[in-house]
Structure formats: C-alpha cells, structure tokens
Amino acid sequence: MTSPAPESNSILSLPDDLLMNCVARVSILYYPTLSLVSKSFRSLLASPDLYKTRSLLDRTESCPYVCLRLQSRENPSWFTLCRKPDQALTCDTSNKKKNGYVLAKVSIAHPPPLQSSSLVAVGSNIYNIGGSNPTSSSSLSKFDCMSHTWSEAPSSPVEMFTASAGVLDGKIYVVGSCEDEDSKSLKDTFEVYDTKTQVWDHVPSPYNGKRYNFKILCIDEKWHVGNTNGVDDLVVAYNPKEGKWHQVIMCDYTDSNAYCEIENVLYSVDKLFYGIEFKWYDTEVSRWRRMEGLVLPGTPTHHVRLANYGGKMAVLWEWEEEHLTYSWGGDKKKIWCAVITLERRKNRGIWGKVEWFDHVLTVPGTCALQKVLVATV
C-alpha cells in the first residue's frame, strides 16, 4: 500500500470559489502586493468574477489612481495606492502621520496620451476624452480598473481642440472648442456622454463666448463653465435637471488643477510660502473661504492634486527636501499623500483633519504629477 500524499498548505489548493471568496474580502489596498505572489493570483485579481463577488459581499472600495508623467516626452505612467504588508500602522497621533502606504505602479500596455483636464472616473472605469491642442480629436477611451486594460469607447460626434470634463450621475459632461463649419473659426461646444447607454448628446448653450481655456466645475449639482486665463470673467451655469442655463457671479474662478467636489462643495488650494492652504467655495455668499485647522507642508512651486476619496479628501503633492535637490536635469523629488476628513461646524465653516499622511513615492526631478482619480472597485 502506498502512503497518501501530504496535503498542500498553499492557499491555491483551496477550491476556486472558496479562494475567490477569501480574496474578495481583502482590502483593495493589498491587491498590488497580492499580484506579485504568482501568475495564478494575477489572473484571479483581473477576473470580473472577483469584483462581482466583492459587490455581492458589499466589499467595494474607493481606490485612488495617480497619473504621472515621469519623462516629458513619454506617455503617462499609472500608479495606485497600496498598503505595505510588512509595516504596521504607528500610533503616533501627535503628528497625524501613519506609515505604511506607497504608490504601486500599474502595468499597462501602451497607455494612450492624455490631457489631465479630460480624465474622469465613473464607477470602476476611467475615461480619457480626446482633444489635444493643436490637433482636434473625437476619441474616447476607457480604462478598466479591474483588468487594468484600455479599450475604445464610442467617439464623440464633435471633434474638439480642447476639452474639460466632469461627471454627474453617471454622465460625463465635456466642454470644449470645435470648428464652426460656416465661419471656420472656433466655437464653444457642450457634449454629454451617458456611460450606461453609451450614447452622446449635445447640450445647446445660449452663451457662445470665446472661452478657449475652459474649466468645468460642478457645484450644487450645477455645471459652472468659465475661462481660466483671466481675460473673460463670464461664468455660466447649467442645471441638468431643469435643462437651463444662467449667468452666475463667481469670484476668482479657479485656474488651478488642484480642486475637487465633495458633497456639493468645491475645494481648492492656495500654495503659500510656508505650505499648502485649503479653501472651499460658499455658494450662498459667492466667495471662497479658508478651511479651518489645516495647512500641509510643502512649497508653492510644485504640483498639488485633490480627489474625492469616498467623502474624504485625498491630497497628493510634490515636496522638495534639502537632500533631494530639484532640477530639470534628473534629480529626485518626493510624492506625498494625505487623507483628510471634513467636518462642517455650526458657524458654517468647514474644518479639515489629517487622518494620515505619508511619503508614497520618490520620482525623477522631471516628473509631473498630472491627475488623481478615484475609482470604485
């Protein structure tokens, strides 16, 4: 008689359904590390069935994706937030810093060129709306944050030279410039893409001002469209529920890429000499107000990006330190990340509290922090 073979202690020896059920309960922040275990794990983590299981178990999470241009002439590189498996959280609450987070590079074959203003996240997908000056484009591509693959989506019926986009209720609103067939000059256009029906629609606008440096911002579920170059103070707002436009008074319309909307409040930053100060837009008095209780260290010369991280604010910024001399010649600099909880006080002010912040990546001095997007997976 032959003796039975010893049972394997490997987790991969579990039945497929049980293994998937186990992995679905693990935080998405550990998936970049799990993908390094074996080819079987990489295949499992790219399986649509895994994310269906996460949804059924109510385990879906907000997952930040960061777009960096490491070299000026290269296509962008993508990273996602990851927990270090070998480093426990500290209990040092005096400086509100908790160690253990890094940015892990996402392996993507042939990422498309992009503009940061035309990148948006809807559910588990990131969309890239074409349009790069001076060449017009109508392309739309989609990045699946589960399988980490790009694919083509239905093109816009209008070719745009510039585009600024935002998302509301699963629809992508895009404002840009296109060529007028009659006059051959540029005119404004406002297009909407429904990600559920995959159909484009045009929104007629009564305002056809020359706003070639567009910014589209969502405040109180209304789209505000204005010029960011300071030449034209006109800001117009569109209410999708009513299908109506109107002019608004919006002082200091932001020309920064460091902004995000959280629970119908618009947040932005001022880069001061001593650090990064946060502000929010009060629609009742039509002015920006300073966020209380929060200033992050940094310098005013570097990029800052904000994102809605499940109702909290994710902040990424470049931080120059004395031993990391910054220059365009190729020296190093650091990317830092912070997660901030927001609290509305009785005096109608908003207070920010740092939940954690950490150095998450060291990059070449030529690197540019372009965009932070949060997908749901």
Side-chain angles (χ1 to χ4, degrees), residues 13 21 24 90 259 315 329 336 360:
S13 65
N21 196 285
T90 68
Y259 67 92
V315 187
W336 285 73
V360 291

Side-chain angles (χ1 to χ4, degrees), residues 188 208-213 225-235 247 253:
D188 301 344
N208 194 28
K210 295 181 179 179
R211 298 183 299 274
Y212 298 141
N213 292 306
V225 180
N227 196 343
T228 64
N229 60 11
V231 176
D232 188 356
D233 295 330
L234 175 65
V235 178
Q247 287 187 340
Y253 193 79

Side-chain angles (χ1 to χ4, degrees), residues 52 68 75 119 130 136 151 162 167 171 185 200 211 220 226 247 260 264 267 275 288 301 305 310 316 326 352 365:
K52 290 178 183 177
L68 299 174
N75 283 344
L119 279 170
S136 63
S151 61
T162 58
V167 175
K171 295 182 179 180
S185 61
W200 284 91
R211 298 183 299 274
D220 288 340
Q247 287 187 340
C260 70
N264 295 325
Y267 295 88
W288 290 93
T301 58
R305 295 293 182 266
L316 279 93
Y326 173 76

Side-chain angles (χ1 to χ4, degrees), residues 144-331:
D144 187 331
C145 296
M146 296 181 291
S147 62
H148 287 168
T149 55
W150 282 97
S151 61
E152 293 299 317
S155 299
S156 165
V158 178
E159 289 196 354
M160 286 174 278
F161 287 86
T162 58
S164 177
V167 175
L168 181 63
D169 296 332
K171 295 182 179 180
I172 302 174
Y173 292 80
V174 186
V175 61
S177 298
C178 65
E179 184 179 67
D180 188 295
E181 294 182 358
D182 297 327
S183 63
K184 301 301 180 182
S185 61
L186 292 180
K187 66 176 183 179
D188 301 344
T189 185
F190 194 35
E191 310 296 324
V192 183
Y193 178 71
D194 190 324
T195 58
K196 294 181 180 179
T197 63
Q198 301 185 47
V199 174
W200 284 91
D201 194 13
H202 175 72
V203 177
S205 170
Y207 304 102
N208 194 28
K210 295 181 179 179
R211 298 183 299 274
Y212 298 141
N213 292 306
F214 293 97
K215 182 77 71 179
I216 181 169
L217 306 172
C218 187
I219 314 171
D220 288 340
E221 297 188 348
K222 300 180 183 67
W223 288 107
H224 292 62
V225 180
N227 196 343
T228 64
N229 60 11
V231 176
D232 188 356
D233 295 330
L234 175 65
V235 178
V236 293
Y238 175 70
N239 187 330
K241 294 182 179 179
E242 299 177 356
K244 295 181 179 179
W245 290 86
H246 60 278
Q247 287 187 340
V248 295
I249 299 174
M250 188 174 179
C251 300
D252 299 325
Y253 193 79
T254 180
D255 61 352
S256 169
N257 283 318
Y259 67 92
C260 70
E261 182 268 336
I262 303 175
E263 296 182 356
N264 295 325
V265 177
L266 183 67
Y267 295 88
S268 186
V269 298
D270 281 331
K271 292 177 284 185
L272 307 176
F273 177 76
Y274 53 83
I276 304 166
E277 185 177 73
F278 294 80
K279 58 184 181 179
W280 58 281
Y281 189 76
D282 190 331
T283 55
E284 294 186 10
V285 296
S286 298
R287 68 180 177 90
W288 290 93
R289 299 179 63 182
R290 184 170 62 90
M291 185 189 296
E292 303 294 335
L294 180 64
V295 175
L296 289 175
T299 61
T301 58
H302 295 167
H303 300 94
V304 183
R305 295 293 182 266
L306 310 180
N308 182 345
Y309 188 17
K312 302 175 183 180
M313 185 190 298
V315 187
L316 279 93
W317 72 102
E318 300 169 5
W319 192 355
E320 176 184 339
E321 297 184 354
E322 292 183 1
H323 66 284
L324 294 175
T325 304
Y326 173 76
S327 75
W328 290 105
D331 292 331

